[in-house]
Amino acid sequence: KNEVEQSPQNLTAQEGEFITINCSYSVGISALHWLQQHPGGGIVSLFMLSSGKKKHGRLIATINIQEKHSSLHITASHPRDSAVYICAVINTDKLIFGTGTRLQVFP
Amino acid sequence: DTGVSQNPRHKITKRGQNVTFRCDPISEHNRLYWYRQTLGQGPEFLTYFQNEAQLEKSRLLSDRFSAERPKGSFSTLEIQRTEQGDSAMYLCASSFGGDYGYTFGSGTRLTVV
């Protein structure tokens, strides 16, 4: 069993839909990242959080430390949101990654 | 500072050849990480440095892999006697360490034929 699990693995949506990606982890963490990866490999950090909730534009990330669970929400999704979204936790000074959720948003 | 830079972006090599990749981190960052990502998977930790000291190596890192960060600035990752299973995206990231954020490079995609 992976230390960081994401669901779903693949997600398709129509433009405008509300999207939720879930992440569960089984190790102790000091913080959790949500990352976005586009074709070609580049990874961009969207959020780093250790408690509560953060919002940036149409993106919202929440974390529940007791339940070892985090969610990434995208409101009013758009085709340009199509990418792989990766959850990664900081454990003993390094990142442990989930396998990613491939999101495709169709017009 | 233009972020984390990795070179080359793509490398195709014949099995058995040696390859070397370079990562130039953000200059103020004292930590530098190497990860490997295969198709459809999340990145896997390989090794990391704090300044010039290599603090941890993954068990994934066989003896054919070696990494250096000689002056605590750029880092190189060398793979000797490449195998087809080494084909992957090699990602570099840097940070201030602790709970500070990470900045990723665009990766080097290695194809071993």
Side-chain angles (χ1 to χ4, degrees), chain A residues 30-31 33 35 37 40-43 45 48 86 90 92-95 97-100, chain B residues 9 31 33 35 37 40-43 45 48 56 89 91 98-102 104 106:
Chain A
S30 53
H33 279 263
L35 308 162
Q37 186 171 33
I43 292 178
S45 179
M48 186 175 76
I86 304 175
I90 300 176
T92 58
D93 292 330
K94 60 185 182 291
L95 288 172
F97 292 81
T99 54
Chain B
R9 289 295 309 276
R31 291 209 173 168
Y33 300 80
Y35 291 88
Q37 186 178 24
Q41 300 297 314
F45 170 77
Y48 87 99
E56 188 173 343
M89 174 76 82
L91 290 162
D99 296 344
Y100 290 95
Y102 292 70
F104 289 85
S106 298

Side-chain angles (χ1 to χ4, degrees), chain A residues 5-13 19-24 34 69-72 83-87 98-104:
Chain A
E5 299 271 1
Q6 284 185 239
S7 63
Q9 284 190 307
N10 294 284
L11 186 55
T12 57
I19 288 162
T20 296
I21 300 170
N22 294 300
C23 174
S24 297
W34 280 102
H69 181 270
S70 176
S71 294
L72 176 68
V84 175
Y85 292 83
I86 304 175
C87 170
T99 54
T101 295
R102 183 174 300 277
L103 171 65
Q104 289 184 292

